[in-house]
Amino acid sequence: MTNTFEPLECDTDIFLMIGKDTFTVEWFKELAQTRLRDRLWQRYVYKDANCSQQIASWLFEQRLEIIENELGITFGNVKLIFPIEGINCKILKLGSKTRKPGKLRIQVMLKNASIQTMEFEFCYDEPPQPESPLDDIREREDYQQLLNNQ
């Protein structure tokens, strides 16, 4: 594996195969945004208290006190990358003959608890070989016979 994650454009010409499910990149992005938004605003109940709080409000509305009453940080912008190592999947580009295995990871920019951007990155297990428009011709039977006659 190359361990180099490259941006994966969000369009309908690239398909992601994760487990047994297949998605266009665009559709997967919509699902991921909806689920992340739901999780950020979902209420979580504390174990030993009778109160609950949303992750988003905890992150963006409270200060992180590093030195009590001296140094506190308020989160305005947060960048999430998950999972760091990526998840196993395969991509298939429209017109390509083979699926390419690799890892997918997601980068999200949050600003004041709302999703500003969501981008996908893909790292190929094996670096992709450039596809030539001549590949189809080279695979044809009459071309192979021509090569064998030389």
Side-chain angles (χ1 to χ4, degrees):
M1 184 191 296
T2 61
N3 289 333
T4 303
F5 282 88
E6 301 170 1
L8 190 59
E9 296 301 319
C10 179
D11 60 29
T12 56
D13 292 345
I14 301 175
F15 297 90
L16 297 173
M17 285 158 252
I18 302 171
K20 295 179 181 180
D21 298 315
T22 303
F23 309 89
T24 63
V25 173
E26 184 176 63
W27 177 241
F28 189 73
K29 182 176 183 178
E30 287 179 35
L31 289 173
Q33 284 178 328
T34 300
R35 292 288 173 96
L36 180 60
R37 191 177 309 109
D38 291 349
R39 283 288 171 100
L40 284 171
W41 292 104
Q42 182 178 349
R43 295 190 83 66
Y44 290 92
V45 178
Y46 294 106
K47 289 182 181 179
D48 39 345
N50 288 334
C51 63
S52 64
Q53 188 172 20
Q54 296 138 334
I55 291 175
S57 63
W58 177 82
L59 253 179
F60 294 99
E61 294 173 6
Q62 297 184 18
R63 288 169 41 105
L64 174 62
E65 296 285 331
I66 296 175
I67 301 172
E68 196 170 327
N69 298 323
E70 293 287 327
L71 177 61
I73 297 173
T74 304
F75 295 99
N77 297 322
V78 174
K79 183 177 186 177
L80 303 173
I81 301 174
F82 55 92
I84 295 291
E85 67 283 353
I87 57 171
N88 289 323
C89 80
K90 295 177 182 176
I91 65 169
L92 176 65
K93 294 185 179 186
L94 201 60
S96 179
K97 295 179 182 173
T98 58
R99 295 173 279 182
K100 307 287 185 191
K103 303 229 182 255
L104 175 75
R105 72 178 179 193
I106 303 170
Q107 284 198 33
V108 179
M109 283 296 298
L110 300 174
K111 183 174 184 176
N112 297 323
S114 66
I115 299 171
Q116 295 298 302
T117 62
M118 177 178 281
E119 298 171 355
F120 295 130
E121 297 176 319
F122 191 79
C123 176
Y124 291 94
D125 285 349
E126 297 291 326
Q129 301 298 320
E131 291 186 26
S132 167
L134 299 176
D135 286 345
D136 289 337
I137 295 171
R138 290 183 187 121
E139 291 176 11
R140 291 178 38 194
E141 191 175 319
D142 53 342
Y143 181 78
Q144 292 299 321
Q145 288 175 351
L146 182 64
L147 285 179
N148 292 334
N149 290 335
Q150 288 183 359

